[in-house]
Amino acid sequence: MYLENYRKIVVKIGSSLIIDNKKKIRKNWLYEFAKDIKNLRKQNKNVIIVSSGAIALGCKKLNIEKKKLKIDQSQAIASVGQIELMNLFIDVFASQKINISQILLTLEDTEKRRRAINAKRTIENLFNLNFVPIVNENDTIATSEIKYGDNDRLASRVAQISNADCLILLSDVDGLYTKNPKIHKDAVLIKKVEKIDQNIIKLASGKTSEYGSGGMRTKIDAAKICEISGCKMAIANGLKDRPLINIFDRQICTWFVPKISKLDARKKWIASTLNTKGCLKIDEGAQIALQKGKSLLAAGVKSIEGSFNKGDQIKIVGKNNQELAIGLSSFSSEEIDKIKGYKSNKIEGLLGYKTKSEVIHKDDMVEI
Ligand code: GLU
């Protein structure tokens, strides 16, 4: 038995597990992986797979080098490769009689609350129908500005919105090391991380494979989102056959074991926003109020950056641009520009209409 304590598990597989560096599809590995997923399904666990590989398989089919691609070319190639990827999964999972479905997400599908809830419901309904959803970024639509760009953070956001309790990032590295193991022989694998602090962030540098977009840095970003959500996460080497069994037999991986989060689902979602639309710099008085759990008022706003609408996620920073919180703005950036520094009772006169008095209400804000 493995992963017995979890009920909803997200497994992310990187491109290097689907296709090797000689551009050969690792079909035997995928058959073994499907056996692991069957095992989890037999234990009645809900499983979501987040799989990369669309661009890599598209490149293989068209005999093109990934490194030379411009964004519009890779969008077209992902469109070719995504069907290759799903055909591969249909074949491999049929061998274990596992029903699969496809979900392609764009960044907005997790960053806009209504769309995130919609995605969550779709996933729940697929579980009810006894299907394993296979998720990828909708690379054909995504442009560089509105893109996850890596499936590590996408997988952690999927884990969060679906309220999963475990995320496993399978790639071609054993986990997080004290130094880059490809350069330093004395690098030691860190088996357990309880808190992601600056030291952990510093350890994550450099790219690790040719095909994957994510290096260790995006895996740590994913771990941070899992920390906010209270979801356990493992970084493990999936290159071995029966990768999931292997990890738990050999115990070679890095586990991120966060404390149970006291935040509700909406606040977890706010705190792990991937692309905030703007930033408010606040004064010391407002910072003290914020730390006491109070709302942010216009009087405490010193300056504003970015262009955003009412309801968008924005960052709040204090002295020396120290990041304090993320929240949903009650006003547009233009409105805040007019009311910043003023007492709440002046807002109606300044804007010419009646509005809320808080720039960000405490219920819409999370300290980070
Ligand atoms: N979505 C990309 C693909 O399917 C992969 C992104 C990544 O490597 O993390 O090719």
Side-chain angles (χ1 to χ4, degrees):
M1 279 274 262
Y2 54 98
L3 294 173
E4 66 264 40
N5 297 327
Y6 305 107
R7 59 190 165 76
K8 208 180 278 171
I9 302 164
V10 180
V11 184
K12 181 252 169 176
I13 48 182
S15 303
S16 53
L17 298 176
I18 309 267
I19 182 165
D20 67 19
N21 48 18
K22 295 199 182 83
K23 301 192 169 50
K24 197 166 164 277
I25 295 172
R26 302 181 74 244
K27 207 156 179 181
N28 285 339
W29 178 87
L30 279 162
Y31 281 116
E32 296 296 311
F33 174 67
K35 288 183 193 163
D36 275 355
I37 300 298
K38 183 72 179 182
N39 235 308
L40 295 176
R41 293 292 302 126
K42 273 194 197 144
Q43 298 169 52
N44 280 328
K45 298 187 186 307
N46 285 322
V47 181
I48 302 170
I49 296 171
V50 176
S51 179
S52 306
I55 297 176
L57 289 174
C59 286
K60 178 180 164 66
K61 177 139 178 128
L62 298 168
N63 208 5
I64 295 175
E65 287 296 316
K66 186 189 174 199
K67 282 182 192 141
K68 295 186 184 137
L69 296 180
K70 297 204 181 86
I71 180 102
D72 53 342
Q73 290 170 316
S74 62
Q75 286 173 319
I77 283 160
S79 160
V80 174
Q82 183 62 28
I83 340 178
E84 298 289 306
L85 184 65
M86 288 317 285
N87 277 335
L88 194 59
F89 278 122
I90 288 172
D91 185 23
V92 162
F93 282 93
S95 70
Q96 295 300 323
K97 300 194 170 50
I98 300 170
N99 301 318
I100 57 162
S101 74
Q102 170 186 266
I103 301 182
L104 295 178
L105 293 175
T106 51
L107 186 62
E108 298 244 297
D109 293 321
T110 56
E111 302 310 287
K112 293 258 179 251
R113 186 73 186 141
R114 274 181 54 194
R115 285 166 71 163
I117 291 170
N118 191 31
K120 174 193 163 85
R121 293 215 179 109
T122 304
I123 292 170
E124 274 166 8
N125 279 311
L126 285 164
F127 288 154
N128 292 339
L129 293 168
N130 207 13
F131 271 68
V132 171
I134 303 197
V135 182
N136 195 1
E137 175 158 18
N138 195 351
D139 293 309
T140 297
I141 300 299
T143 61
S144 52
E145 309 83 58
I146 46 158
K147 202 169 164 39
Y148 300 95
D150 66 88
N151 278 9
D152 296 323
R153 292 178 314 141
L154 166 65
S156 65
R157 216 42 175 146
V158 166
Q160 181 183 67
I161 61 173
S162 59
N163 200 17
D165 44 9
C166 178
L167 166 64
I168 298 173
L169 300 180
L170 291 179
S171 70
D172 55 359
V173 288
D174 286 337
L176 179 67
Y177 280 84
T178 50
K179 296 175 186 169
N180 184 342
K182 292 192 175 157
I183 306 170
H184 304 280
K185 286 220 166 75
D186 58 343
V188 178
L189 181 72
I190 301 170
K191 295 222 165 160
K192 191 168 159 187
V193 176
E194 283 175 355
K195 187 155 177 42
I196 302 158
D197 53 20
Q198 282 309 316
N199 291 332
I200 295 291
I201 291 169
K202 261 191 233 146
L203 292 178
S205 65
K207 289 213 164 192
T208 48
S209 78
E210 186 201 349
Y211 278 128
S213 306
M216 197 44 81
R217 183 59 216 245
T218 55
K219 293 183 175 47
I220 299 300
D221 290 344
K224 191 84 204 153
I225 291 174
C226 287
E227 183 173 69
I228 293 165
S229 322
C231 171
K232 296 216 173 84
M233 189 191 106
I235 301 175
N237 193 330
L239 283 171
K240 304 264 175 339
D241 286 348
R242 303 300 302 271
L244 297 179
I245 286 196
N246 237 299
I247 298 165
F248 298 99
D249 279 356
R250 293 161 65 234
Q251 287 295 321
I252 297 181
C253 64
T254 302
W255 273 108
F256 292 81
V257 213
K259 290 204 190 80
I260 293 169
S261 169
K262 289 194 187 106
L263 297 174
D264 62 28
R266 187 166 165 280
K267 286 210 167 171
K268 285 177 184 169
W269 171 83
I270 293 175
S272 31
T273 300
L274 295 176
N275 67 334
T276 43
K277 297 271 163 59
C279 178
L280 298 180
K281 194 165 190 162
I282 63 171
D283 65 20
E284 249 170 89
Q287 182 168 343
I288 294 167
L290 219 92
Q291 277 150 355
K292 286 187 183 154
K294 302 245 168 72
S295 299
L296 175 66
L297 303 178
V301 179
K302 285 172 75 174
S303 63
I304 171 171
E305 245 176 55
S307 161
F308 51 87
N309 294 317
K310 180 178 164 181
D312 281 344
Q313 292 104 307
I314 55 173
K315 226 173 239 172
I316 297 126
V317 301
K319 223 177 172 178
N320 305 324
N321 290 327
Q322 184 202 350
E323 294 186 1
L324 303 172
I326 294 187
L328 308 180
S329 180
S330 304
F331 294 92
S332 70
S333 45
E334 283 106 56
E335 288 171 322
I336 300 179
D337 207 33
K338 289 183 192 148
I339 63 176
K340 64 176 192 290
Y342 287 98
K343 288 234 156 61
S344 301
N345 58 9
K346 295 269 183 287
I347 294 180
E348 193 178 338
L350 287 163
L351 295 179
Y353 42 84
K354 232 181 159 57
T355 60
K356 279 189 175 183
S357 57
E358 305 89 5
V359 169
I360 303 180
H361 191 274
K362 61 179 168 35
D363 294 346
D364 297 333
M365 186 161 49
V366 195
E367 273 188 74
I368 49 174

